[in-house]
Amino acid sequence: MLLSVVVPCMNEEASIPMLVERLIAATDAWRGDTEIVLVDDGSTDDTWSAICAQCAEHSAIRGLKLSMNRGHQVALTAGLMAAKGERIFMLDADLQDPPELLSDMMAMMDRGYDVVYGRRSERKGESWFKKVTAHGFYRVLNRLSDVPIPNDTGDFRLVTRRALDAVLQMPERARFIRGMFAWAGFRQIGIEYIRDPRVAGETKYPLSKMIRFAFDAMASFSIKPLQIATRMAFLTLIVAALMGVYVFGSLILYNTVAGWASTVLIISFFSGIQLLTLGIMGEYLGRLYVEAKGRPLFFVDEQAGDAVEPVVEKIANHQ
Ligand code: UDP
Ligand code: MG
């Protein structure tokens, strides 16, 4: 049985030698063959040369270089499409997710689970801001999402071929892989682990990317924000009706000219609600537009290592 390890890498030249060393050690106990697919997601440093150097040294390693930076989720998808294994293990290049957890995950899979995901019980070496926003993100997402997406889990997981094939059948461009696995179903279980600090380099998720990622996740897994807009519209109608009673009342009772304060208040309240509603609709419309264009998710620039499957052909089938 073949085990595939898939790692998206962007500007990780310093992590790669350590990553490979620990992966080779962690997969040593595996009874079958192993392939390690390293995806270079448009790095601007020497990540690709680092990957090629590892391919030359170890026959199990394969490299895939995307034509430009497409983001973590697309890079991971590219690696998953190239993976040929019966079991597929995915993790980040920065070793925040310990490869040594593989043996525990394998044991769970032997008991019949299709998806064994890592659940972060603690995050080490990350800013309080990242911890707080990440904590909030998973909880809000879960309230909105129609399928339960496990809290505090990343893409660090071991999956079976049939679970992966289910996810690869989902053609959407806004990819939120952990949610897609949750949606696929099958038997799933989590293993708790402590998330280590990065071994090298900086995070590739600045605030702007985190916000984009959160929007993608929520808009891909829920239409509740659209319904919130409708609910708010009802709420404002009620408020407007009450205001109407008040305005008429004061007109009859006091014969006053309406004050500017209430006018300003009403105008700002309603324009706020309108803009928010428009914004939410715009988010969905934009996603619809991107999906409707139906462009390929990525292009492969170069490949390294032997036994490389024609990935492009697979993508063509996928669409
Ligand atoms: N990554 C990628 N493309 C990107 C951003 C990130 O392939 O555009 C990879 C990165 O090299 C790492 C993983 O995705 O292996 C997770 O990124 P990072 O560690 O920066 O995120 P964090 O752990 O800080 O959330
Ligand atoms: Mg990281």
Side-chain angles (χ1 to χ4, degrees), residues 1-5 23-35 85-88 102-103 106-107 109-110 158:
M1 214 196 309
L2 178 67
L3 164 71
S4 298
V5 181
L23 272 178
I24 288 180
T27 52
D28 196 41
W30 170 241
R31 46 190 187 273
D33 291 332
T34 305
E35 62 163 3
E86 277 307 302
R87 291 182 177 191
I88 304 92
L102 178 67
S103 57
M106 281 290 186
M109 192 160 275
D110 289 339
L158 178 71

Side-chain angles (χ1 to χ4, degrees), residues 4-8 35-39 60-64 78-79 82-84:
S4 298
V5 181
V6 177
V7 191
E35 62 163 3
I36 299 176
V37 183
L38 303 176
V39 183
I61 299 185
R62 301 163 54 196
L64 205 66
K84 291 180 289 189

Side-chain angles (χ1 to χ4, degrees), residues 8-10 12 41 69 71-72 75 92-94 96 126 130 195 198 203-205 209:
C9 314
M10 181 218 173
E12 304 281 7
D41 184 21
N69 178 257
H72 174 203
D92 288 351
D94 57 11
Q96 284 196 283
E126 283 184 302
K130 173 106 184 185
R195 193 157 210 240
R198 265 183 163 271
T203 175
K204 274 83 198 175
Y205 269 101
K209 263 198 195 173

Side-chain angles (χ1 to χ4, degrees), residues 61-101:
I61 299 185
R62 301 163 54 196
L64 205 66
K65 184 177 191 286
L66 302 190
S67 64
M68 64 171 279
N69 178 257
R70 302 277 176 197
H72 174 203
Q73 299 289 301
V74 171
L76 181 56
T77 304
L80 292 175
M81 282 174 169
K84 291 180 289 189
E86 277 307 302
R87 291 182 177 191
I88 304 92
F89 182 48
M90 52 200 103
L91 75 166
D92 288 351
D94 57 11
L95 291 168
Q96 284 196 283
D97 313 317
E100 294 72 29
L101 215 64

Side-chain angles (χ1 to χ4, degrees), residues 224-287:
K224 278 187 193 146
L226 284 174
Q227 295 162 342
I228 291 170
T230 321
R231 272 184 222 157
M232 279 193 306
F234 274 113
L235 197 76
T236 50
L237 274 182
I238 293 169
V239 173
L242 292 176
M243 281 302 241
V245 172
Y246 167 73
V247 168
F248 264 112
S250 32
L251 210 66
I252 292 161
L253 289 178
Y254 312 117
N255 201 17
T256 55
V257 179
W260 65 271
S262 53
T263 315
V264 169
L265 205 75
I266 292 170
I267 290 178
S268 50
F269 181 65
F270 278 90
S271 5
I273 296 272
Q274 275 169 357
L275 282 178
L276 183 68
T277 314
L278 271 179
I280 292 174
M281 282 168 43
E283 286 288 338
Y284 282 89
L285 195 66
R287 281 178 175 76

